[in-house]
Amino acid sequence: MNSPLRPRATGRVTLSDVAQLAGVSPITVSRALRGERAVAPDLVAKVRAAADTLGYVPNPAARALASGQSSHVAVLIPMLSNALFVDLLEALQHTLRQAGFQTLIGITHYDPSEEETLLREQLLHRPAGLVVTGLERTEATRLLIAQSGVPCVHLMTTDAPAGSHCVGFSQRDAGRDMARHLIAQGYRRIAFAAAQLDPRTLQRLAGWRSALVDAGLYDEVLEWLNPAPSSLALGARMFEQIMGQTPPVDAIFFCNDDLAQGALLAAMRTGVAVPQRVAIAGFNDLTGSDQMVPPLTTVRTPRAEIGHAAARMLMGLMQGEPSDSSAIDLGYTLQIRHST
């Protein structure tokens, strides 16, 4: 084998450099690194040794441009500080990687204009598929998705319009069922406390509101809405504010478990008995909710299941397979514990 080549002025090792060092053609290098069976094992070993010597890393964008095929899937999610999306993304990526796909992750921070910018950037990489969160976005982003021709799956919703595909559950129904549980337990002044105020949170609010209206218990002063990011600290502050309300509430349904966990900690600190003085419920069944004092009643959402199912649906779309359903509803479960 020849001595290692000197790096180019750009510092980037190319396919041709590997081919020259291995003493084979560039097309043989390409086929060997893709694992094509037509390349003899001794040539594959020779090519891989040359690539390792030079530190060659294939350029997936160039490969996609040349072949018209990509191994990348673009994924746009609102936030990584929310454990919900961490669990979902881990499952999604695991399933895609097993099939040979890599993920390009963009964080939108719940900002439609940022989502639009990220999508424009990711489409430059010619992704094989696209995963986005929810259905609410700018009209420009909708057009980008539609005109790109890239197969797309929407997460955390089941209300896909015609021609779209989605995996999730009904946020509205989940909010309604938790409110109905509290009503069935005998609670009558049931507050709804929410942060972030993204579309999914507002759908839970709509479900809670419908249950209280049906029961003749709705009062707009029971809605506590804060656009700040959801956190334990905010949950504690909101709890203290709500407990000062007159007439007093006897239950609080928080839109996310981190808020509810913060509320339980504040109740313990201030000597408010839960659920004897006030019941507390959350949403998403995040890590630690079952270890709170008392353990938190919440809605368990199938985050990992949504990630796996979305990946499988997208792979089918990328392969041109007909989909059995444009919407997969994985449901939710009320986790009734001692806080209610």
Side-chain angles (χ1 to χ4, degrees):
M1 183 178 290
N2 299 327
S3 59
L5 300 174
R6 296 178 61 185
R8 293 169 172 262
T10 62
R12 184 185 298 277
V13 178
T14 68
L15 194 76
S16 296
D17 295 333
V18 177
Q20 184 178 343
L21 183 57
V24 298
S25 67
I27 190 63
T28 298
V29 172
S30 179
R31 290 171 175 168
L33 294 179
R34 286 202 304 267
E36 293 188 10
R37 295 180 180 179
V39 183
D42 61 323
L43 281 181
V44 172
K46 194 174 184 180
V47 167
R48 291 192 180 281
D52 290 343
T53 298
L54 294 174
Y56 173 70
V57 177
N59 184 338
R63 179 182 294 175
L65 186 62
S67 65
Q69 297 179 331
S70 172
S71 61
H72 283 142
V73 170
V75 181
L76 297 176
I77 59 174
M79 194 72 73
L80 279 178
S81 59
N82 188 331
L84 181 154
F85 292 109
V86 174
D87 295 343
L88 192 158
L89 181 60
E90 184 174 315
L92 177 80
Q93 181 170 272
H94 177 76
T95 302
L96 289 172
R97 283 186 63 83
Q98 285 187 322
F101 291 97
Q102 291 80 46
T103 51
L104 290 171
I105 301 168
I107 310 302
T108 68
H109 300 101
Y110 294 96
D111 183 342
S113 62
E114 188 166 350
E115 180 187 52
E116 181 182 330
T117 299
L118 285 167
L119 179 60
R120 291 183 185 278
E121 293 171 353
Q122 292 189 337
L123 288 176
L124 294 175
H125 296 276
R126 298 172 179 260
L130 176 63
V131 178
V132 296
T133 305
L135 298 170
E136 298 76 12
R137 48 192 39 89
T138 67
E139 187 58 31
T141 301
R142 295 183 204 278
L143 286 174
L144 280 173
I145 294 173
Q147 294 173 356
S148 70
V150 177
C152 180
V153 172
H154 299 74
L155 300 171
M156 304 303 290
T157 183
T158 56
D159 300 322
S164 299
H165 295 80
C166 62
V167 180
F169 61 95
S170 173
Q171 306 276 346
R172 191 180 191 279
D173 288 355
R176 179 202 62 202
D177 286 352
M178 178 56 80
R180 285 179 175 175
H181 160 71
L182 294 170
I183 293 169
Q185 292 295 105
Y187 300 107
R188 292 297 177 264
R189 294 279 296 171
I190 305 168
F192 183 85
Q196 198 70 61
L197 308 186
D198 61 88
R200 287 160 296 285
T201 293
L202 297 181
Q203 289 163 19
R204 295 167 205 164
L205 168 64
W208 163 86
R209 186 185 292 136
S210 70
L212 266 63
V213 168
D214 290 345
L217 299 173
Y218 177 71
D219 184 341
E220 64 181 7
V221 302
L222 295 172
E223 295 185 11
W224 291 77
L225 309 180
N226 191 322
S230 184
S231 68
L232 270 75
L234 179 59
R237 291 198 299 273
M238 293 185 77
F239 173 79
E240 293 171 358
Q241 292 167 351
I242 295 169
M243 292 305 293
Q245 187 175 70
T246 303
V249 303
D250 56 8
I252 309 172
F253 176 18
F254 287 92
C255 77
N256 199 43
D257 273 11
D258 57 355
L259 294 173
Q261 290 173 1
L264 285 173
L265 293 172
M268 182 183 299
R269 184 174 63 251
T270 56
V272 175
V274 178
Q276 293 84 357
R277 167 60 185 84
V278 63
I280 294 177
F283 201 98
N284 280 321
D285 197 20
L286 299 181
T287 300
S289 289
D290 59 343
Q291 300 301 311
M292 299 302 293
V293 180
L296 177 66
T297 290
T298 184
V299 178
R300 183 199 175 273
T301 54
R303 304 181 291 277
E305 293 91 336
I306 289 172
H308 289 305
R312 290 192 294 269
M313 175 182 271
L314 183 62
M315 288 189 292
L317 294 173
M318 291 188 294
Q319 293 165 8
E321 299 174 357
S323 177
D324 294 335
S325 173
S326 62
I328 298 177
D329 187 345
L330 293 175
Y332 53 86
T333 306
L334 296 189
Q335 295 286 352
I336 309 304
R337 301 190 179 111
H338 299 303
S339 67
T340 58

